Amino acid sequence: MKGLTLLSLLLWLCAAYFVGIYLFVGGFLLVRLEVNRTSTCEDVLQPGEGPQDFCQTQPRFRKAVVLIVDALKIDFARFDPTRTTPRPYENKLPVLEETVSSRPTQSRLYPFRADPPTTTMQRIKGFTTGSLPTFVDVGNNFASSAILEDNLIHQLGQMGKRVVFMGDDTWENLFPKKFYRSLPFPSFNVKDLDTVDNGILQHLYTTMVGDDWDVLVAHFLGVDHCGHRFGPDHPAMADKLTQMDGVIRSVIDRLQNDTLLVVMGDHGMTDTGDHGGESQKETDAALFLYSPSPVFPGPPSQDEPDIVPQTDLVPTLALLLGIPIPFSSVGQVLLPLFPPPQTGGAVTRLSQLEALWINTKQVNRFLETYSGLAKDISPEILSELKAEFSRLSFEYLSTVREGRPPPPHLASSLQAYLTSVRDTCRATWARFNPVKMAAGLALLTFACLMCFVMSELSMVLTEEKRAGLKAPTAVAVTVAVGVAAAQLLARGYVEAAWCLAAGTFSSEVLFLWRAWRLNSPAVLKNGAKASKLSRWMSLRRLLLPSLVVLLLRCASLLSDSYVIYEGRVVTFLLLSLALCIPIHLNWNGHLLPPTPDPLKSAGLLPSPTLSPAAIRKESSTVLGCLGVLVICAYFSLSFHGCREEQGFCQPSPFLSPLSRLQDNQLKNLYYILSVISLAVCAYLLRLCLCHYGNLNSSGRTAFTARWILPLLCICTGLHWAVSATPEDGFRKLAELIRVAQLALPRAAFGLLGVGLSLIFVDPLTVFVKTRTAASARSSALPLPRYRASTGISPQAELRHLIPQIYQRMRRSLEDGELSGGAEEDNRPAVEAYGLGTVYSAPVLLFCGLLGIGLLLLHPEGMTLSFLLLLLEMGALLHIHASSTTLSGSPRSTSGGFNVPWTPVVVWSLAATQFFHATGHLPTFPSIQWGAAFVGFPDGHAGTILPAFLVTLNTFASHILFAGEKMTFC
């Protein structure tokens, strides 16, 4: 029952954490209601005309060619002839500026601003539906599902337009069976710069000269993949942009007069080639519009927009191609593409005012439908918008009926209304739920407090007679049944999250109340009178430095500035808490040897358990390891990345893979440093195992340390060398290099799997040596042979074999004393090597192998950071062991367990610190997608394996520190 009670309490604690996280996430992640309704031709009514006139009239353009150059940021499209030493990506698309300058009535170039998140799937959704995706949609970027909202592709199909697509296969997942003809190519392999682009070019020109299409969509990926692999400042980027320049020129030469060309980027990229966030470099792409026939009244004027939102492309293309605007669009038509009212008719060509009126009616129809379903728009704002639309509608319709010229302010008033609706929707869909977030934080706070109370009451929790703490578990089980009943009674008017929160909170309060009662002296000391002193001492535990630092860590997450500089904040808290350890030891008189006391020498007072020499040794270990910890933490700051909010921050040069470096000498230097650091890591690991005698064994774990560990390091070093080789550097060895890029990391993964399996199957590293004479004298107790055929599992042997070896050695020593120490060299009859680290040695080797495997998923320069991580782990382990020895506190209590809070908090802070020290940040652009292609240069057939590899790369520090925590036991 003791184990069952403890297990049930731990499961209940985990459930409390999950409920708190679920409630917080429900208020933090932004979601919106999707309106699954479709616009029709009847919705595009113009005053005094039949219901089908709009769709039956001749559109401004009969065809359209849409070229999407993924990650074409506006800096790539600009041309500056005054730059004497341009960067690799500058002035590589001169066709855009040349066309705008020479043909001002036929072309325009605009900055094209995307709404975050700037990931490909969300951007495609944005410029086809005209809606504003939220951040919760970013999880679907690599498992794209079909778009259910009304969109341009659906409307084109409804109108009988033949849409031909070629390029990124994400479109095929978003619009299944919507294309007249489709030529998708795999898009996930960011190291492949040419497959998608070359596949498009094989079909693009032949399709254009044919007459079996109305809208042609081509999505190029080479520029985006080049940014992910090399960054924008690389010759490969110049080559890709030059290729795109030639493609655009060829497409322009093949266009007909009734065809519109749209060249655009779906998002931009940072200086490191990443995207996904909301910085201006990520959101500002390029939009180029061109037609062989005149489209614009003249050169760009001051009335034209400086920046075009991506949502504005949807209504603009819809009206130019003669199809209804998608139902959920909140975009605004781009007026320069439509003639002023006095120069165009309403039948042959939409004027600016008519286009604005159709756009306004569509947006108002969506607003009325959405507000009736979602109920999340403020009633005051909604009434103001409705009143404004009624006023504009009356003014426009009266102008049309009376046949008089429209007032000058009407167009600007319609634009202001469209802008107000879009801003209202953006603010509504970006609104957090503070009540849910606060409730989630409260539940998590109580859960952390319960975790502390459970560790402090470990003895109470493990006693079978203490059944009082089983009540919260019963309450938690009852809550699971009560949620369904509450939903039934409330008929869905109360969210299940609130029912779970109420049940969890009540069980937490009940647990803390019962724990307070059980911690009183009246319960713990056979009915003795309770005193306030005991509870006051319990309250003082809440002021431990570890808990204070933990609360400061939680409080720092509520401040934007502290979140931006989270890596440095965590480093400061880590060092502060580590410095408290020797201060606490010195405060209690454990750090320095005690002064001689005559009473202790006379035996009148108990003597200290440690000799002065042992105290000096352990104190020196604590202070020396603390110095190592400070040095490692300081140098780890050199490997941090930069957030977009940090302004002029420069990311660490070690974050760039060797393949991005163009200076060969610098590349060789980084490679040598990486290999040396890897060798030092392996050497320190083996040195530690050898020092404690764990390599004297002939078991499988020792075999792993002797052979698999160095072979794994060799494969890793060779893989780095092959990956850093330029693609055009050794053309004759190209096939061999490709095979090596595939074989070396897979061989490393295979060695890693074999090594970890051997450690798990046979973790014992104890070598027993028996003296012949002693064996003859003490044959009454047979010595168990290492890995003898016992018929029990290795985990059982860890419980039974080690105590038997200890008893055998103790019997050997006793027999030696009875025989007068017959051995000449005074050595015992039984020697066991590696017995002191029998539990920690396999864990250490396991984490070491796993660390090298995780290092394989990181850039080569991160080897130095992993070396610092290994040194910091060792320093923390020795600080904990020496401080425990000096303080004289037991590692565990009889029949229970003891959780030392200070090393646990230090360990968790160190894990977060090295999350930042390995180049990671809690932002989308910092995700290192290249980890998904280590050992798989040709890509993956599915998304599970690449997602698993990226997860291992992202949380490598937490995985390693979690494994090393086992050595505390």
Side-chain angles (χ1 to χ4, degrees), residues 368-389:
E368 290 180 347
T369 305
Y370 179 83
S371 60
L373 296 174
K375 310 289 186 182
D376 57 355
I377 299 179
S378 172
E380 294 80 9
I381 297 177
L382 192 61
S383 61
E384 292 177 4
L385 291 174
K386 288 182 178 180
E388 179 66 13
F389 176 77

Side-chain angles (χ1 to χ4, degrees), residues 354-434:
E354 291 166 338
L356 278 174
W357 170 244
I358 296 173
N359 191 187
T360 303
K361 285 184 61 180
Q362 170 267 321
V363 170
N364 179 72
R365 184 173 62 251
F366 165 73
L367 182 64
E368 290 180 347
T369 305
Y370 179 83
S371 60
L373 296 174
K375 310 289 186 182
D376 57 355
I377 299 179
S378 172
E380 294 80 9
I381 297 177
L382 192 61
S383 61
E384 292 177 4
L385 291 174
K386 288 182 178 180
E388 179 66 13
F389 176 77
S390 299
R391 185 186 67 82
L392 293 174
S393 177
F394 174 78
E395 187 173 358
Y396 177 81
L397 293 178
S398 61
T399 300
V400 173
R401 292 192 189 100
E402 297 173 5
R404 56 184 174 83
H409 68 273
L410 183 56
S412 59
S413 298
L414 291 172
Q415 285 182 297
Y417 172 79
L418 292 172
T419 303
S420 299
V421 173
R422 178 166 53 192
D423 293 343
T424 300
C425 291
R426 181 180 284 115
T428 301
W429 297 334
R431 185 182 302 146
F432 301 107
N433 190 331

Side-chain angles (χ1 to χ4, degrees), residues 195-210:
T195 298
V196 177
D197 294 358
N198 293 340
I200 294 174
L201 295 179
Q202 290 178 1
H203 305 278
L204 178 62
Y205 306 130
T206 56
T207 301
M208 288 187 64
V209 298

Side-chain angles (χ1 to χ4, degrees), residues 325-344:
I325 301 174
F327 190 91
S328 300
S329 172
V330 293
Q332 183 180 150
V333 290
L334 192 57
L335 287 187
L337 286 165
F338 299 89
Q342 65 271 18
T343 60

